[in-house]
Amino acid sequence: MRKFFQEIKADLKFKTAGPGQKLSEPSRAPREKPKAEAAPKPRQAPTDEAQMAAAAALARLELKPKGKAPSCSQESIKNQVRRELMAEAAASEKGLPEEEKEEGAAAPSVSGVYFICPLTGAVVRKDQKEKHLREAIQAYFSVDPVAASIMEIHTFNKDREKVRVGVETMAKYLDNIYLHPEEEKYRKIKLHNKVFQERISCLEGAQKFFQAVGFEEKTLPVPGQGKEGQNSPEEQFYVLKEEVLARLEDLKDCKEQLLSSEPLRARLDRQLRVFQPSPEAARFELPDDFYNLSADEIRREQRLRTEAVEKASMLRTRAMREKEEQREMRKYNYTLLRVRFPDGYILQGTFYAREAVSVLYSFVREALRDDWLPFELLGPGGLKLTDESLAFNECGLVPSALLSLSWDAAVMADIEAAGEEQPRSPLRPELLARVQTL
């Protein structure tokens, strides 16, 4: 076996000789020289990567234990060496710098998912959305501290049930003061009170709200709880400032605002684009932002797909099938949709995967020069999207799709019969002014 490895090694050395070096035959046992020996054909020198892969494979062979050789055929050993070399070559290729890798990779159809901040109007990337919202709300404290604190409560506390309970309790404190301004007990809130601790202190922004409406934190004695001859123990309270009693209507307005507010949400930027007619309309290259998968979920995808063949052969219940369909639909948060007009122009926009088809109809209608023109949208395969209440992920339009627009034939015939001059495109002029090449 050792002799066989030496022969392989010698043969590799023969292959890897440089172009200016003399190729030496591997050392073998003396044999009878044939009468006529054909000259060996010249071999092309391997690449540096192949030489490095071969050297690494041979080094591993040298390091293997020299015990008894396993009972295996020479062909299996050759296959093992070949696998070693292929693995090294693959590893070498992965380690190449970016500029040496294969060129010509398609650029993403969009650079990512973007949102519009409702406070600042700034357009920010998905991964910067929460950070920007927090900074915008923090800056809004200088404008309206009550409104800003309410935004914090409703926006950054994700448990909606806890928010509801906490907000209702806070509103009850204010309501008691408004209805009974002469009662001093209602103007003080014990911070270590069990109800306050469980319902309010756990909410981000609650402390800022009480300060904004006119409370201040004080340390006060608690009458009736101290031992005889000793001072009463002290505790922390929120105490309403005296001047707030002169403007109780403002306190009532703060209560109503607290109860009626909703979380502050950044609006999805459609990233409207118009493209010239192109044969590349059906080709999509999406960034990672479009996928609602964690790193672990992505690794599980391959395993799930390998199990699909086995599942297909099993008799599954309707509930099992619906559960799998729901899991498939949840893979994507967003979808990139293109609508091709009869003249070839393409309208593109980004949408939530769970938005209704009616949103797409409105998106297209807003882009038309004459928004009254009736039309219908056809999905892949020419399927008419007549049920506008369905979500995109229910129609198979995620994570991307190319749709076609079809005008109402009767209306278009009437327009032609009237002899009215038609513009070169039904899209608004300001959109055509910034048309791009796909």
Side-chain angles (χ1 to χ4, degrees):
M1 184 66 66
R2 179 68 178 174
K3 181 180 178 181
F4 178 75
F5 284 147
Q6 290 175 347
E7 291 179 359
I8 294 179
K9 183 176 181 180
D11 187 55
L12 285 171
K13 288 182 179 179
F14 173 80
K15 293 179 181 179
T16 57
Q21 299 175 356
K22 184 178 180 181
L23 300 179
S24 60
E25 288 289 346
S27 58
R28 300 177 184 272
R31 296 181 181 179
E32 183 180 352
K33 186 176 181 180
K35 293 182 180 180
E37 185 176 0
K41 295 182 180 180
R43 302 185 182 183
Q44 184 177 0
T47 63
D48 293 340
E49 290 81 4
Q51 294 184 42
M52 293 173 61
L58 288 171
R60 283 196 301 274
L61 291 174
E62 293 287 350
L63 292 174
K64 288 184 177 180
K66 299 183 180 180
K68 184 178 179 181
S71 57
C72 52
S73 65
Q74 291 189 3
E75 185 62 30
S76 64
I77 297 173
K78 289 181 180 179
N79 291 337
Q80 176 63 26
V81 174
R82 189 178 297 111
R83 285 193 294 268
E84 296 275 2
L85 295 174
M86 291 176 65
E88 288 293 334
S92 175
E93 182 180 352
K94 288 182 180 179
L96 290 177
E98 290 294 330
E99 58 270 15
E100 295 184 21
K101 293 183 179 180
E102 182 179 359
E103 297 181 357
S109 303
V110 286
S111 58
V113 176
Y114 291 82
F115 291 84
I116 303 173
C117 176
L119 288 180
T120 65
V123 178
V124 296
R125 279 192 69 109
K126 173 188 172 184
D127 56 357
Q128 295 293 318
K129 177 182 63 172
E130 293 298 324
K131 179 176 180 290
H132 184 86
L133 276 179
R134 189 173 293 275
E135 292 174 350
I137 292 176
Q138 188 62 37
Y140 200 69
F141 271 94
S142 62
V143 179
D144 189 341
V146 173
S149 60
I150 292 175
M151 289 178 196
E152 279 195 351
I153 293 171
H154 284 279
T155 303
F156 299 128
N157 297 287
K158 303 304 180 183
D159 190 326
R160 302 310 304 161
E161 179 61 20
K162 282 187 177 181
V163 171
R164 183 189 66 79
V165 173
V167 162
E168 288 179 354
T169 305
M170 294 165 70
K172 184 65 176 176
Y173 283 130
L174 302 186
D175 211 30
N176 285 336
I177 296 172
Y178 178 78
L179 296 175
H180 310 283
E182 71 286 349
E183 295 284 347
E184 184 180 356
K185 64 178 182 180
Y186 291 127
R187 302 200 295 269
K188 295 189 297 184
I189 304 172
K190 186 189 297 186
L191 300 189
H192 292 290
N193 177 278
K194 183 179 179 181
V195 172
F196 188 89
Q197 286 291 319
E198 292 180 351
R199 299 184 181 182
I200 299 175
S201 64
C202 59
L203 296 180
E204 181 177 352
Q207 179 180 357
K208 295 179 182 178
F209 173 78
F210 280 108
Q211 293 172 348
V213 297
F215 284 87
E216 57 183 349
E217 188 173 341
K218 288 186 176 181
T219 303
L220 299 176
V222 182
Q225 293 189 12
K227 295 182 180 180
E228 186 176 354
Q230 296 181 357
N231 294 329
S232 299
E234 295 182 337
E235 289 195 27
Q236 297 297 112
F237 287 82
Y238 277 147
V239 181
L240 189 69
K241 297 176 183 178
E242 289 293 332
E243 60 264 27
V244 179
L245 296 176
R247 42 185 176 87
L248 289 175
E249 289 300 324
D250 291 343
L251 201 64
K252 181 182 178 181
D253 291 341
C254 292
K255 182 202 75 171
E256 297 297 335
Q257 186 178 353
L258 177 66
L259 290 172
S260 61
S261 293
E262 294 290 335
L264 188 68
R265 297 287 183 248
R267 179 166 50 91
L268 180 64
D269 183 16
R270 299 294 184 199
Q271 299 186 75
L272 188 152
R273 302 285 187 275
V274 177
F275 298 107
Q276 294 178 349
S278 171
E280 299 292 322
R283 181 177 179 179
F284 292 88
E285 297 291 339
L286 299 179
D288 293 341
D289 288 355
F290 275 73
Y291 298 89
N292 188 28
L293 294 174
S294 66
D296 291 337
E297 289 172 328
I298 292 174
R299 283 191 289 268
R300 284 167 40 206
E301 278 304 297
Q302 186 61 37
R303 177 175 58 82
L304 293 174
R305 291 181 182 181
T306 56
E307 294 173 357
V309 177
E310 298 178 6
K311 289 182 179 181
S313 61
M314 296 170 54
L315 183 62
R316 293 175 293 164
T317 65
R318 179 179 179 182
M320 292 170 63
R321 292 194 301 271
E322 290 178 350
K323 184 177 180 180
E324 290 182 5
E325 290 172 0
Q326 290 295 324
R327 188 193 69 213
E328 289 294 314
M329 291 195 302
R330 285 195 298 267
K331 285 182 182 179
Y332 310 102
N333 265 347
Y334 313 96
T335 183
L336 186 67
L337 300 179
R338 290 173 181 162
V339 178
R340 180 161 50 194
F341 285 75
D343 59 2
Y345 278 91
I346 302 162
L347 182 67
Q348 175 178 289
T350 301
F351 300 84
Y352 286 108
R354 296 170 184 81
E355 285 189 278
V357 172
S358 59
V359 175
L360 180 60
Y361 272 89
S362 299
F363 175 75
V364 173
R365 193 168 288 110
E366 291 171 1
L368 296 178
R369 183 192 301 264
D370 299 314
D371 58 4
W372 58 269
L373 285 173
F375 64 88
E376 61 183 3
L377 297 176
L378 310 178
L383 180 66
K384 293 182 180 180
L385 301 178
T386 54
D387 190 350
E388 297 185 25
S389 64
L390 290 177
F392 294 127
N393 56 6
E394 295 176 318
C395 304
L397 301 180
V398 294
S400 59
L402 173 64
L403 303 95
S404 299
L405 182 143
S406 176
W407 302 113
D408 185 284
V411 173
M412 298 308 293
D414 291 343
I415 293 176
E416 292 180 3
E420 297 180 6
E421 184 178 355
Q422 297 300 308
R424 66 186 182 95
S425 173
L427 293 169
R428 298 204 316 262
E430 59 268 28
L431 296 179
L432 294 174
R434 50 190 178 95
V435 67
Q436 301 174 351
T437 302
L438 190 60

